Structure formats: C-alpha cells, structure tokens
Coordinates of all heavy atoms in Angstrom, one line a residue:
M1 N -143.1 -86.7 49.0 CA -143.2 -87.0 50.4 C -144.8 -87.3 50.7 O -145.6 -86.6 50.1 CB -142.7 -85.9 51.2 CG -142.7 -86.2 52.7 SD -141.4 -87.2 53.4 CE -139.9 -86.5 52.8
K2 N -145.0 -88.3 51.5 CA -146.3 -88.7 51.9 C -146.5 -88.4 53.4 O -145.5 -88.5 54.1 CB -146.6 -90.2 51.6 CG -146.5 -90.5 50.1 CD -146.8 -92.0 49.9 CE -145.4 -92.7 49.9 NZ -145.5 -94.1 49.5
T3 N -147.8 -88.4 53.9 CA -148.0 -88.3 55.3 C -148.8 -89.6 55.7 O -149.8 -90.0 55.1 CB -148.9 -87.0 55.5 OG1 -148.3 -85.9 55.1 CG2 -149.3 -87.0 57.0
L4 N -148.2 -90.2 56.8 CA -148.7 -91.4 57.4 C -149.3 -90.9 58.7 O -148.6 -90.4 59.6 CB -147.6 -92.5 57.5 CG -148.0 -93.7 58.3 CD1 -149.1 -94.5 57.6 CD2 -146.8 -94.6 58.6
T5 N -150.5 -91.3 59.0 CA -151.1 -91.1 60.3 C -151.3 -92.3 61.0 O -151.9 -93.3 60.4 CB -152.5 -90.3 60.1 OG1 -152.4 -89.0 59.3 CG2 -153.1 -90.1 61.4
V6 N -150.8 -92.5 62.2 CA -150.9 -93.6 63.0 C -151.8 -93.3 64.3 O -151.4 -92.5 65.0 CB -149.5 -94.1 63.5 CG1 -149.6 -95.4 64.3 CG2 -148.7 -94.4 62.3
R7 N -152.8 -94.1 64.5 CA -153.6 -93.9 65.8 C -153.5 -95.1 66.5 O -153.8 -96.2 66.0 CB -155.1 -93.7 65.2 CG -155.4 -92.2 64.7 CD -156.9 -92.1 64.4 NE -157.0 -90.9 63.6 CZ -157.0 -90.8 62.3 NH1 -156.7 -91.8 61.6 NH2 -157.1 -89.6 61.7
I8 N -153.1 -95.1 67.7 CA -152.9 -96.2 68.6 C -153.8 -96.0 69.8 O -153.7 -94.9 70.4 CB -151.5 -96.4 69.0 CG1 -150.6 -96.6 67.8 CG2 -151.4 -97.5 70.0 CD1 -149.1 -96.7 68.1
T9 N -154.7 -96.8 70.1 CA -155.5 -96.7 71.3 C -155.2 -98.0 72.1 O -155.3 -99.1 71.7 CB -157.0 -96.7 70.9 OG1 -157.3 -95.6 70.0 CG2 -157.9 -96.6 72.1
A10 N -154.9 -97.7 73.4 CA -154.7 -98.8 74.3 C -155.5 -98.6 75.6 O -155.7 -97.5 76.0 CB -153.2 -98.8 74.7
E11 N -156.0 -99.7 76.0 CA -156.8 -99.6 77.3 C -156.1 -100.5 78.3 O -155.8 -101.7 78.1 CB -158.2 -100.2 77.1 CG -159.1 -100.1 78.3 CD -160.5 -100.4 78.0 OE1 -161.2 -99.5 77.2 OE2 -161.0 -101.4 78.4
L12 N -155.8 -100.0 79.5 CA -155.1 -100.7 80.5 C -155.9 -100.8 81.8 O -156.6 -99.8 82.0 CB -153.8 -100.0 80.9 CG -152.6 -99.8 79.9 CD1 -152.9 -98.9 78.8 CD2 -151.4 -99.4 80.7
Q13 N -156.1 -101.9 82.4 CA -156.7 -102.1 83.7 C -155.6 -101.8 84.7 O -154.7 -102.6 84.8 CB -157.3 -103.5 83.8 CG -158.3 -103.8 82.8 CD -159.6 -103.0 83.0 OE1 -160.0 -102.7 84.1 NE2 -160.2 -102.6 81.9
I14 N -155.7 -100.8 85.4 CA -154.6 -100.4 86.4 C -155.1 -100.4 87.8 O -156.3 -100.3 88.1 CB -154.1 -99.0 86.0 CG1 -155.3 -97.8 86.2 CG2 -153.6 -98.9 84.6 CD1 -154.8 -96.5 86.1
P15 N -154.1 -100.6 88.7 CA -154.5 -100.7 90.2 C -155.0 -99.4 90.6 O -154.8 -98.2 90.0 CB -153.1 -100.9 90.8 CG -152.3 -101.5 89.8 CD -152.6 -100.8 88.5
D16 N -155.8 -99.4 91.6 CA -156.4 -98.2 92.2 C -155.5 -97.1 92.7 O -155.8 -95.9 92.7 CB -157.4 -98.5 93.3 CG -158.6 -99.2 92.9 OD1 -159.0 -99.1 91.6 OD2 -159.2 -100.0 93.6
D17 N -154.3 -97.5 93.1 CA -153.4 -96.5 93.6 C -152.5 -95.8 92.5 O -151.8 -94.8 92.8 CB -152.3 -97.1 94.6 CG -151.5 -98.2 94.1 OD1 -152.0 -98.9 93.1 OD2 -150.4 -98.4 94.7
W18 N -152.7 -96.2 91.2 CA -152.1 -95.4 90.1 C -153.1 -94.3 89.9 O -154.3 -94.4 89.8 CB -151.9 -96.2 88.9 CG -150.9 -97.4 89.1 CD1 -150.3 -97.9 90.1 CD2 -150.4 -98.2 88.0 NE1 -149.5 -98.9 89.8 CE2 -149.6 -99.1 88.5 CE3 -150.7 -98.3 86.6 CZ2 -148.9 -100.1 87.8 CZ3 -150.1 -99.3 85.9 CH2 -149.2 -100.1 86.4
E19 N -152.5 -93.1 89.6 CA -153.4 -91.9 89.3 C -152.8 -91.1 88.2 O -151.7 -91.1 87.8 CB -153.5 -91.2 90.6 CG -152.2 -90.6 91.1 CD -152.3 -89.9 92.4 OE1 -153.4 -89.4 92.8 OE2 -151.4 -90.0 93.3
L20 N -153.8 -90.3 87.6 CA -153.4 -89.3 86.6 C -153.1 -88.0 87.3 O -153.9 -87.6 88.3 CB -154.4 -89.1 85.6 CG -154.8 -90.1 84.6 CD1 -155.8 -89.7 83.6 CD2 -153.5 -90.5 83.8
V21 N -151.9 -87.4 87.0 CA -151.5 -86.1 87.6 C -151.0 -85.2 86.6 O -150.7 -85.6 85.5 CB -150.5 -86.4 88.7 CG1 -151.0 -87.2 89.9 CG2 -149.2 -86.9 88.1
E22 N -151.0 -83.9 86.9 CA -150.3 -83.0 86.1 C -148.9 -82.8 86.4 O -148.6 -82.5 87.5 CB -151.0 -81.6 86.1 CG -150.3 -80.7 85.1 CD -151.4 -79.7 84.5 OE1 -152.6 -79.9 84.5 OE2 -150.8 -78.6 84.0
H23 N -148.0 -83.1 85.5 CA -146.6 -83.0 85.7 C -146.2 -81.6 85.6 O -146.8 -80.8 85.0 CB -145.8 -83.9 84.6 CG -144.3 -84.0 84.9 ND1 -143.5 -83.2 84.2 CD2 -143.7 -84.9 85.7 CE1 -142.3 -83.5 84.6 NE2 -142.4 -84.5 85.4
A24 N -145.0 -81.2 86.2 CA -144.5 -79.8 86.2 C -144.3 -79.3 84.8 O -144.4 -78.1 84.5 CB -143.3 -79.7 87.0
S25 N -144.2 -80.3 83.8 CA -144.0 -79.8 82.4 C -145.3 -79.4 81.8 O -145.3 -79.0 80.6 CB -143.4 -81.0 81.6 OG -144.3 -82.1 81.6
G26 N -146.5 -79.6 82.5 CA -147.8 -79.2 82.0 C -148.5 -80.4 81.3 O -149.6 -80.3 80.9
M27 N -147.9 -81.5 81.2 CA -148.5 -82.8 80.7 C -149.3 -83.6 81.8 O -148.9 -83.6 82.9 CB -147.4 -83.7 80.1 CG -146.6 -83.1 79.0 SD -145.4 -84.3 78.3 CE -145.0 -85.5 79.6
T28 N -150.4 -84.2 81.3 CA -151.0 -85.1 82.2 C -150.4 -86.5 82.0 O -150.3 -86.9 80.9 CB -152.6 -85.2 81.8 OG1 -153.2 -83.9 81.9 CG2 -153.3 -86.2 82.7
V29 N -150.0 -87.1 83.1 CA -149.2 -88.3 83.1 C -149.8 -89.2 84.2 O -150.5 -88.9 85.0 CB -147.7 -88.0 83.3 CG1 -147.1 -87.2 82.2 CG2 -147.5 -87.5 84.6
L30 N -149.4 -90.6 84.0 CA -149.7 -91.5 85.0 C -148.7 -91.5 86.1 O -147.5 -91.5 85.8 CB -149.7 -92.9 84.3 CG -150.2 -94.1 85.1 CD1 -151.6 -93.9 85.6 CD2 -150.1 -95.4 84.2
K31 N -149.2 -91.5 87.4 CA -148.2 -91.5 88.5 C -148.3 -92.9 89.1 O -149.3 -93.4 89.6 CB -148.4 -90.4 89.5 CG -147.5 -90.4 90.6 CD -147.4 -89.1 91.3 CE -146.2 -88.9 92.1 NZ -146.4 -88.8 93.5
I32 N -147.1 -93.5 89.1 CA -147.0 -94.9 89.8 C -146.0 -94.8 90.9 O -144.8 -94.7 90.6 CB -146.6 -95.9 88.8 CG1 -147.6 -95.9 87.6 CG2 -146.5 -97.3 89.5 CD1 -147.2 -96.8 86.5
G33 N -146.5 -94.8 92.2 CA -145.4 -94.6 93.2 C -144.8 -93.2 93.1 O -145.5 -92.2 93.1
D34 N -143.5 -93.1 93.1 CA -142.8 -91.9 92.9 C -142.3 -91.6 91.5 O -141.5 -90.8 91.2 CB -141.6 -91.8 93.9 CG -140.5 -92.8 93.5 OD1 -140.8 -93.7 92.7 OD2 -139.4 -92.8 94.2
Q35 N -142.8 -92.4 90.5 CA -142.6 -92.2 89.1 C -143.6 -91.7 88.3 O -144.7 -92.0 88.5 CB -142.0 -93.5 88.5 CG -140.7 -94.1 89.2 CD -140.2 -95.2 88.4 OE1 -139.7 -95.0 87.2 NE2 -140.2 -96.3 88.9
F36 N -143.3 -90.9 87.3 CA -144.2 -90.3 86.3 C -144.1 -91.1 85.0 O -143.0 -91.3 84.5 CB -144.0 -88.9 86.1 CG -144.1 -88.1 87.4 CD1 -143.0 -87.7 88.1 CD2 -145.4 -87.6 87.8 CE1 -143.2 -87.0 89.3 CE2 -145.5 -86.9 88.9 CZ -144.4 -86.6 89.7
V37 N -145.2 -91.5 84.4 CA -145.2 -92.3 83.2 C -146.0 -91.6 82.0 O -147.2 -91.3 82.3 CB -145.7 -93.7 83.4 CG1 -145.8 -94.6 82.1 CG2 -145.0 -94.4 84.4
D38 N -145.3 -91.4 80.9 CA -146.0 -90.9 79.7 C -145.9 -92.0 78.6 O -145.2 -92.9 78.8 CB -145.4 -89.6 79.2 CG -146.3 -88.9 78.1 OD1 -147.4 -89.1 78.1 OD2 -145.6 -88.1 77.3
F39 N -146.7 -92.0 77.6 CA -146.7 -92.9 76.6 C -146.1 -92.3 75.3 O -146.4 -91.2 75.0 CB -148.1 -93.5 76.2 CG -148.6 -94.3 77.5 CD1 -149.1 -93.6 78.6 CD2 -148.4 -95.6 77.6 CE1 -149.6 -94.3 79.7 CE2 -148.8 -96.3 78.7 CZ -149.4 -95.7 79.8
D40 N -145.4 -93.1 74.5 CA -144.8 -92.6 73.3 C -144.9 -93.8 72.3 O -145.3 -94.9 72.5 CB -143.3 -92.4 73.7 CG -142.6 -91.5 72.7 OD1 -143.1 -91.2 71.7 OD2 -141.5 -91.0 73.0
I41 N -144.4 -93.5 71.1 CA -144.4 -94.4 70.0 C -143.0 -95.1 69.8 O -142.0 -94.4 69.8 CB -144.8 -93.8 68.7 CG1 -145.0 -94.9 67.6 CG2 -144.0 -92.7 68.3 CD1 -145.6 -94.2 66.3
T42 N -142.9 -96.3 69.8 CA -141.6 -97.0 69.4 C -141.9 -97.9 68.3 O -142.7 -98.8 68.3 CB -141.1 -97.9 70.7 OG1 -140.9 -97.0 71.7 CG2 -139.9 -98.6 70.3
P43 N -141.3 -97.7 67.2 CA -141.5 -98.6 66.0 C -140.8 -99.9 66.2 O -139.8 -100.0 66.7 CB -140.9 -97.8 64.8 CG -140.1 -96.8 65.4 CD -140.5 -96.6 66.9
L44 N -141.5 -100.9 65.8 CA -140.9 -102.3 66.0 C -140.8 -102.9 64.6 O -141.6 -102.6 63.7 CB -141.9 -103.2 66.7 CG -142.3 -102.8 68.1 CD1 -143.3 -103.7 68.7 CD2 -141.0 -102.7 69.0
A45 N -139.8 -103.7 64.3 CA -139.4 -104.2 63.0 C -139.0 -105.7 63.0 O -138.6 -106.2 64.1 CB -138.3 -103.3 62.3
T46 N -139.2 -106.3 61.9 CA -138.7 -107.7 61.8 C -138.3 -107.9 60.3 O -138.7 -107.3 59.4 CB -139.8 -108.7 62.2 OG1 -139.4 -110.0 62.1 CG2 -141.0 -108.7 61.2
R47 N -137.4 -108.9 60.2 CA -137.0 -109.3 58.8 C -137.8 -110.6 58.3 O -137.6 -111.0 57.2 CB -135.5 -109.6 58.7 CG -134.7 -108.3 58.9 CD -133.3 -108.6 58.7 NE -132.4 -107.4 58.9 CZ -132.2 -106.4 58.2 NH1 -132.6 -106.5 56.9 NH2 -131.4 -105.4 58.5
Q48 N -138.5 -111.2 59.2 CA -139.2 -112.4 59.0 C -140.6 -112.1 58.4 O -141.4 -111.3 58.9 CB -139.4 -113.2 60.2 CG -138.1 -113.5 61.0 CD -138.2 -114.1 62.3 OE1 -139.3 -114.1 62.9 NE2 -137.1 -114.5 62.9
D49 N -141.0 -112.8 57.3 CA -142.3 -112.7 56.8 C -143.0 -113.9 57.0 O -143.5 -114.7 56.2 CB -142.2 -112.4 55.3 CG -143.6 -112.2 54.7 OD1 -144.5 -111.8 55.4 OD2 -143.7 -112.2 53.4
D50 N -143.4 -114.2 58.4 CA -144.1 -115.4 58.8 C -145.0 -115.0 60.0 O -144.7 -114.1 60.7 CB -143.3 -116.6 59.0 CG -142.4 -116.5 60.2 OD1 -143.0 -116.4 61.4 OD2 -141.2 -116.5 60.1
P51 N -146.2 -115.7 60.3 CA -147.0 -115.4 61.3 C -146.4 -115.4 62.7 O -146.9 -114.6 63.5 CB -148.1 -116.4 61.2 CG -148.0 -117.1 59.8 CD -146.6 -116.9 59.5
D52 N -145.3 -116.1 62.9 CA -144.7 -116.2 64.2 C -143.5 -115.2 64.3 O -142.6 -115.5 65.2 CB -144.4 -117.6 64.5 CG -145.6 -118.5 64.6 OD1 -146.6 -117.9 65.2 OD2 -145.5 -119.6 64.2
A53 N -143.4 -114.3 63.4 CA -142.2 -113.4 63.4 C -142.1 -112.7 64.8 O -143.0 -112.4 65.4 CB -142.4 -112.3 62.3
E54 N -140.8 -112.4 65.1 CA -140.5 -111.8 66.3 C -140.2 -110.3 66.0 O -139.3 -110.0 65.1 CB -139.3 -112.4 67.1 CG -139.7 -113.7 67.7 CD -138.6 -114.2 68.7 OE1 -138.1 -113.3 69.4 OE2 -138.6 -115.3 68.9
W55 N -141.0 -109.4 66.6 CA -140.8 -108.0 66.3 C -140.0 -107.4 67.5 O -140.2 -107.6 68.6 CB -142.2 -107.4 66.3 CG -143.0 -107.8 65.1 CD1 -143.6 -109.0 65.1 CD2 -143.2 -107.2 63.8 NE1 -144.3 -109.2 63.8 CE2 -143.9 -108.1 63.1 CE3 -142.7 -106.0 63.3 CZ2 -144.3 -107.7 61.7 CZ3 -143.0 -105.8 62.0 CH2 -143.8 -106.6 61.2
S56 N -139.1 -106.4 67.1 CA -138.4 -105.7 68.2 C -137.9 -104.3 67.8 O -138.0 -104.0 66.6 CB -137.1 -106.5 68.6 OG -136.1 -106.3 67.6
D57 N -137.3 -103.6 68.7 CA -136.8 -102.3 68.4 C -135.3 -102.3 68.5 O -134.6 -101.3 68.7 CB -137.3 -101.2 69.3 CG -137.1 -101.5 70.8 OD1 -136.5 -102.5 71.0 OD2 -137.4 -100.5 71.6
D58 N -134.7 -103.5 68.3 CA -133.2 -103.8 68.3 C -132.5 -103.0 67.3 O -131.3 -102.6 67.6 CB -132.9 -105.2 68.2 CG -133.4 -106.0 69.4 OD1 -133.7 -105.4 70.4 OD2 -133.4 -107.3 69.4
D59 N -133.0 -102.8 66.1 CA -132.3 -102.1 65.0 C -132.4 -100.6 65.3 O -133.3 -99.9 64.7 CB -132.9 -102.5 63.7 CG -132.2 -101.9 62.5 OD1 -131.4 -100.9 62.7 OD2 -132.2 -102.4 61.4
Q60 N -131.6 -100.0 66.1 CA -131.6 -98.7 66.5 C -131.5 -97.7 65.3 O -132.0 -96.6 65.4 CB -130.5 -98.4 67.6 CG -130.8 -99.1 68.9 CD -132.1 -98.7 69.5 OE1 -132.4 -97.5 69.8 NE2 -133.1 -99.5 69.7
E61 N -130.7 -98.0 64.3 CA -130.6 -97.2 63.2 C -132.0 -97.0 62.5 O -132.4 -95.9 62.1 CB -129.6 -97.7 62.2 CG -129.4 -96.8 61.0 CD -128.3 -97.3 60.1 OE1 -127.3 -98.1 60.6 OE2 -128.3 -96.9 58.9
L62 N -132.7 -98.1 62.2 CA -134.0 -98.1 61.7 C -135.0 -97.3 62.5 O -135.8 -96.6 62.1 CB -134.5 -99.6 61.4 CG -135.9 -99.6 60.8 CD1 -135.9 -98.9 59.3 CD2 -136.3 -101.1 60.6
V63 N -135.0 -97.6 63.9 CA -135.9 -97.0 64.8 C -135.7 -95.4 64.7 O -136.6 -94.7 64.6 CB -135.6 -97.4 66.2 CG1 -136.3 -96.5 67.2 CG2 -136.2 -98.9 66.4
G64 N -134.3 -95.0 64.7 CA -134.1 -93.7 64.6 C -134.5 -93.0 63.3 O -135.0 -91.9 63.2
Q65 N -134.4 -93.8 62.2 CA -134.8 -93.3 60.9 C -136.3 -93.1 60.9 O -136.8 -92.1 60.5 CB -134.5 -94.3 59.9 CG -134.6 -93.9 58.4 CD -134.0 -95.0 57.5 OE1 -133.8 -96.2 57.9 NE2 -134.0 -94.7 56.2
V66 N -137.1 -93.9 61.5 CA -138.5 -93.8 61.6 C -138.8 -92.6 62.5 O -139.7 -91.7 62.1 CB -139.2 -95.2 62.0 CG1 -140.6 -94.9 62.3 CG2 -139.0 -96.3 61.0
L67 N -138.3 -92.5 63.7 CA -138.6 -91.5 64.6 C -138.3 -90.1 64.1 O -138.9 -89.1 64.4 CB -137.9 -91.8 66.0 CG -138.5 -93.0 66.7 CD1 -137.8 -93.2 68.0 CD2 -140.0 -92.8 67.0
D68 N -137.2 -90.1 63.3 CA -136.8 -88.8 62.7 C -138.0 -88.3 61.7 O -138.0 -87.1 61.4 CB -135.5 -88.9 61.8 CG -134.4 -89.0 62.7 OD1 -134.4 -88.7 63.9 OD2 -133.3 -89.3 62.2
C69 N -138.8 -89.1 61.2 CA -139.9 -88.7 60.4 C -141.1 -88.2 61.2 O -142.0 -87.6 60.6 CB -140.4 -89.9 59.5 SG -139.2 -90.4 58.4
V70 N -141.2 -88.4 62.5 CA -142.3 -88.0 63.3 C -142.3 -86.5 63.4 O -141.4 -85.9 63.9 CB -142.2 -88.6 64.7 CG1 -143.4 -88.1 65.6 CG2 -142.4 -90.2 64.5
S71 N -143.4 -85.9 62.9 CA -143.5 -84.4 63.0 C -144.4 -83.9 64.0 O -144.4 -82.8 64.4 CB -144.0 -83.9 61.6 OG -145.3 -84.4 61.2
G72 N -145.1 -84.8 64.7 CA -145.9 -84.5 65.8 C -146.4 -85.7 66.6 O -146.6 -86.7 65.9
L73 N -146.6 -85.6 67.8 CA -147.1 -86.7 68.7 C -147.8 -86.2 69.9 O -147.3 -85.2 70.5 CB -145.8 -87.6 69.1 CG -146.1 -88.9 70.0 CD1 -146.9 -89.8 69.1 CD2 -144.8 -89.4 70.4
D74 N -148.9 -86.9 70.2 CA -149.7 -86.4 71.3 C -150.3 -87.6 72.0 O -150.8 -88.5 71.2 CB -150.8 -85.4 70.8 CG -151.5 -84.8 72.0 OD1 -151.0 -84.7 73.1 OD2 -152.7 -84.4 71.8
A75 N -150.3 -87.7 73.3 CA -150.8 -88.8 74.0 C -151.9 -88.2 74.9 O -151.5 -87.3 75.8 CB -149.7 -89.6 74.8
D76 N -153.1 -88.6 74.8 CA -154.2 -88.2 75.7 C -154.5 -89.3 76.7 O -154.7 -90.3 76.2 CB -155.5 -87.8 74.9 CG -155.3 -86.6 74.0 OD1 -154.7 -85.6 74.6 OD2 -155.8 -86.6 72.9
L77 N -154.5 -88.9 78.0 CA -154.8 -89.9 79.0 C -156.1 -89.6 79.6 O -156.4 -88.5 80.0 CB -153.6 -90.0 80.0 CG -152.2 -90.2 79.5 CD1 -151.3 -90.2 80.7 CD2 -152.1 -91.6 78.8
D78 N -156.9 -90.6 79.7 CA -158.2 -90.4 80.4 C -158.5 -91.6 81.3 O -158.2 -92.8 81.1 CB -159.3 -90.4 79.2 CG -160.7 -90.2 79.8 OD1 -160.9 -89.4 80.8 OD2 -161.7 -90.9 79.4
L79 N -158.9 -91.2 82.5 CA -159.2 -92.3 83.6 C -160.6 -92.4 83.8 O -161.3 -91.5 84.0 CB -158.4 -91.8 84.9 CG -158.3 -92.7 86.0 CD1 -157.5 -94.0 85.6 CD2 -157.5 -92.2 87.1
A80 N -161.0 -93.6 83.8 CA -162.5 -94.0 83.9 C -162.5 -94.9 85.2 O -161.9 -95.9 85.3 CB -163.2 -94.6 82.7
Y81 N -163.4 -94.6 86.1 CA -163.6 -95.5 87.3 C -164.8 -96.4 87.0 O -165.8 -96.1 86.6 CB -163.9 -94.6 88.5 CG -162.7 -93.9 88.9 CD1 -162.5 -92.5 88.5 CD2 -161.7 -94.3 89.7 CE1 -161.5 -91.8 88.9 CE2 -160.5 -93.6 90.0 CZ -160.4 -92.4 89.6 OH -159.3 -91.6 89.9
H82 N -164.5 -97.7 87.3 CA -165.5 -98.7 87.2 C -165.9 -99.3 88.5 O -165.1 -99.4 89.4 CB -165.0 -100.0 86.3 CG -164.6 -99.5 85.0 ND1 -165.4 -99.3 83.9 CD2 -163.3 -99.3 84.5 CE1 -164.8 -99.0 82.8 NE2 -163.4 -99.0 83.2
Q83 N -167.3 -99.4 88.7 CA -167.7 -99.9 90.0 C -168.1 -101.3 90.0 O -168.5 -101.9 89.1 CB -168.9 -99.2 90.4 CG -168.6 -97.6 90.5 CD -168.4 -97.0 91.9 OE1 -168.9 -97.7 92.8 NE2 -168.0 -95.8 92.0

C-alpha cells in the first residue's frame, strides 16, 4: 500500500456579504445567506486521453472507490480583506 498526498489550494474572490463563521459542529465555514458551505474533495475521471477530455464525477462506483481510500481530510478557510 502507498500513501498519496493531495494538496489543493483555491483562491476565490467572494462578495462582501459572504463571511466566515464557526458552525455549531465546531468547523469554520463560509456563510452565504442562510446556508453554510464547507469544501471537500471530489475525484474527477475520464476515459479520454486527449487535451480536450471531459472530466466528471459521473462514475459513482469509481468515485466511491477513491473516496473509500481517504484516511483524512482537512479544509482550512482564511479570509483576507483587500482595500
């Protein structure tokens, strides 16, 4: 068995009325209106080996197989204000 480490960094430009809040579960999440948003990993796959291949999570069996291998996941949210 091998260990694969995946690091994903995303930067979003968000409206001023979206905010980071602490959810009752103890997680820091994004609050948009009356909804709480957290980030997760969704594996995407394709059978095409060309530059214009379309990637999706349609193959739920494969997605489940990959997600079953996840032994830990953490999402850190940080909000920076730009003037």
Side-chain angles (χ1 to χ4, degrees):
M1 184 74 58
K2 300 179 265 190
T3 299
L4 172 66
T5 301
V6 178
R7 289 182 188 87
I8 300 173
T9 301
E11 184 173 290
L12 290 72
Q13 298 293 321
I14 61 171
D16 289 336
D17 61 333
W18 294 11
E19 59 184 330
L20 287 183
V21 298
E22 180 148 340
H23 187 264
S25 65
M27 300 184 330
T28 300
V29 297
L30 186 61
K31 185 158 193 242
I32 304 172
D34 63 353
Q35 296 192 66
F36 299 96
V37 178
D38 191 23
F39 294 85
D40 202 345
I41 181 174
T42 301
L44 303 175
T46 186
R47 293 187 184 275
Q48 304 167 352
D49 187 17
D50 67 65
D52 296 321
E54 291 195 27
W55 296 81
S56 76
D57 60 354
D58 290 344
D59 187 338
Q60 291 299 299
E61 185 176 333
L62 180 61
V63 168
Q65 190 177 11
V66 173
L67 291 178
D68 285 345
C69 294
V70 176
S71 59
L73 181 65
D74 188 26
D76 291 317
L77 303 180
D78 182 38
L79 190 58
Y81 293 94
H82 301 282
Q83 302 251 353

